[in-house]
Every structure is written in C-alpha cells, then in structure tokens.
Amino acid sequence: MTEDEPAPVRRGRVAMRQAVADFAAPAAGWHLIVQCAGHCRRQHRLVAELVPQISPGLTWAEVLPKLRCNQCGKPADIVGLSGPPETPGVGGTWLLLQRGAGQWRI
C-alpha cells in the first residue's frame, strides 16, 4: 500500500483479506459492482444474495477472480463494493479488483 493511493483502493486492499460473508448482512445493503471488458452494462448484485452460492469463509481474493458477467459470460474486468461508508463523509465505493494485462491488480 502507498499513501498516495485513492481511499477506495486502500479500502479495497483491506477488504480483499476479509470474508465475503462479512459483507452479507441484508440490512447493510452491500452491493457488488461487476463489469466486463465488453459492451455490457455494469451490474449490481446484492452481496447477501451471492453468499449462499459460495463456500462460507472465502475471502474476496478467492472469490473475485472467478466472477463472470451475467450478460455475456466473460470474466469480470472491474469489481467493486458499494455500501455503507467506512467513516462518515467518506464515499462507500471500494475498488476491489481491476483486470490489466491479463492479471488482476488491486
């Protein structure tokens, strides 16, 4: 991590080590934002709906590389979380992964 990283990227790095289930409380309203490299629209999925489909305790780092676009089936290229802000006054979108040159970067 570097100090000059944008806050959403820093929060995303921390979240990558956390279990997906930590973000699954329906009342919290966390959404997964997924977009492929094609011309498909950005998709919003409730994390609470995703959790029953995966093994409990998996981290975002283990789950995200497997995500695919619901519209075309291609691998997801940009994945983020949107939900309650970490602290008041801070935006609630966290960049988790972005595919670049065939590899994920955080």
Side-chain angles (χ1 to χ4, degrees):
M1 269 188 270
T2 63
E3 290 297 318
D4 59 343
E5 283 182 324
V9 174
R10 281 195 311 273
R11 291 192 302 268
R13 285 185 186 278
V14 171
M16 289 297 289
R17 295 186 300 265
Q18 291 180 261
V20 175
D22 291 351
F23 296 84
W30 283 98
H31 284 81
L32 192 61
I33 302 164
V34 179
Q35 189 163 11
C36 69
H39 299 301
C40 299
R41 289 189 331 251
R42 183 174 42 191
Q43 302 154 50
H44 293 259
R45 302 178 193 166
L46 269 174
V47 174
E49 293 172 1
L50 173 69
V51 169
Q53 301 171 26
I54 63 170
S55 299
L58 288 180
T59 65
W60 286 110
E62 295 166 315
V63 170
L64 293 181
K66 300 174 186 173
L67 287 179
R68 298 209 169 272
C69 175
N70 277 353
Q71 297 166 34
C72 70
K74 292 182 182 176
D77 284 286
I78 299 173
V79 181
L81 277 175
S82 179
E86 183 180 42
T87 56
V90 176
T93 299
W94 302 14
L95 177 64
L96 294 179
L97 290 177
Q98 184 171 1
R99 190 181 303 273
Q103 295 194 0
W104 288 102
R105 63 179 183 258
I106 301 171

